[in-house]
Amino acid sequence: GESVGLHLPTLSVQEGDNSIINCAYSNSASDYFIWYKQESGKGPQFIIDIRSNMDKRQGQRVTVLLNKTVKHLSLQIAATQPGDSAVYFCAEIPSSGTYKYIFGTGTRLKVLA
Amino acid sequence: NAGVTQTPKFRVLKTGQSMTLLCAQDMNHEYMYWYRQDPGMGLRLIHYSVGEGTTAKGEVPDGYNVSRLKKQNFLLGLESAAPSQTSVYFCASSTGTGRNTEAFFGQGTRLTVV
């Protein structure tokens, strides 16, 4: 079946630097994408989303980029802080008439002091 | 606003025992989901519900049953627990209206089957 995946399982960045977390998706019919943050021992929390008719969306310190040509999604975190340390998941919703989210395996972000 | 609440938070079962995980949401969401999360793997959908009284199988439904008797509650049952069901279980809910809606997650239930 089709799935959402991530290029890097672990990313270490210095505090204050920018972080970029990548995600590849395989279902070209997906029309909605979400990034989640999961801290240790907690459930995933919504960070930002993007529709397939957009290629960029910005939030507070976060930006999501969508490249439909190569089916690639990225999450950029500006001025990474210790509190950003977590596992980040991308998720897609295929436009198949169902509302089932497909999650990637996740990337662990470690912020170094 | 509590959001999505799961009970219990932790549980240890012996092989063959049964149990029910409870998920409650106070956001009047139509859609509810049960996922399991295992090391090195993404969240995998067990069962889901698109409304009160409805349930459907997800990616890994074997060994589990669910019920949605009330809109705000979604129960996940294990009739005869097996060590392979050791996992962290997450419940989620979403509005289900429109196509651009995020899922809200509970804090998880860590289940160990010995």
Side-chain angles (χ1 to χ4, degrees):
Chain A
E2 296 181 317
S3 64
V4 175
L6 291 169
H7 296 305
L8 299 174
T10 303
L11 177 65
S12 298
V13 297
Q14 290 290 332
E15 181 179 354
D17 287 352
N18 297 334
S19 303
I20 300 177
I21 301 172
N22 297 303
C23 174
Y25 65 94
S26 57
N27 189 336
S28 58
S30 291
D31 57 3
Y32 179 52
F33 305 87
I34 309 171
W35 279 101
Y36 282 93
K37 173 185 180 183
Q38 186 177 22
E39 296 176 278
S40 181
K42 297 184 178 180
Q45 290 182 300
F46 171 88
I47 301 174
I48 192 167
D49 59 0
I50 189 167
R51 307 175 187 178
S52 60
N53 61 352
M54 303 170 67
D55 55 15
K56 180 179 180 179
R57 191 169 188 208
Q58 288 184 299
Q60 185 177 8
R61 283 201 305 117
V62 294
T63 300
V64 56
L65 300 177
L66 175 63
N67 186 331
K68 294 181 289 294
T69 302
V70 295
K71 290 183 283 187
H72 183 267
L73 195 67
S74 69
L75 176 70
Q76 301 179 1
I77 304 174
T80 310
Q81 302 171 356
D84 294 328
S85 292
V87 175
Y88 291 81
F89 298 93
C90 62
E92 63 175 312
I93 300 180
S95 57
S96 59
T98 61
Y99 290 81
K100 292 185 288 185
Y101 304 83
I102 301 173
F103 293 89
T105 55
T107 293
R108 181 174 300 280
L109 177 64
K110 292 184 177 180
V111 181
L112 307 174
Chain B
N1 190 340
V4 179
T5 304
Q6 291 181 232
T7 53
K9 290 184 171 53
F10 303 93
R11 186 72 186 270
V12 178
L13 284 180
K14 293 182 178 179
T15 297
Q17 285 186 317
S18 63
M19 79 163 294
T20 300
L21 282 67
L22 172 64
C23 177
Q25 54 95 3
D26 61 3
M27 296 173 283
N28 200 35
H29 284 170
E30 290 294 331
Y31 283 62
M32 296 187 75
Y33 315 81
W34 275 107
Y35 290 89
R36 60 177 289 172
Q37 185 177 44
D38 300 294
M41 303 184 74
L43 291 159
R44 293 185 292 169
L45 184 63
I46 305 171
H47 285 280
Y48 66 103
S49 168
V50 301
E52 180 179 318
T54 74
T55 63
K57 294 181 179 180
E59 183 184 357
V60 289
D62 294 342
Y64 306 94
N65 57 75
V66 288
S67 64
R68 184 96 181 268
L69 298 180
K70 294 182 179 180
K71 185 177 183 179
Q72 63 268 33
N73 295 336
F74 195 30
L75 279 62
L76 178 70
L78 286 73
E79 292 186 349
S80 180
S84 61
Q85 293 178 304
T86 293
S87 188
V88 181
Y89 292 85
F90 287 100
C91 176
S93 70
S94 68
T95 62
T97 56
R99 293 214 58 80
N100 303 317
T101 172
E102 73 268 28
F104 293 81
F105 284 84
Q107 293 297 297
T109 296
R110 184 173 295 277
L111 175 65
T112 302
V113 183
V114 298

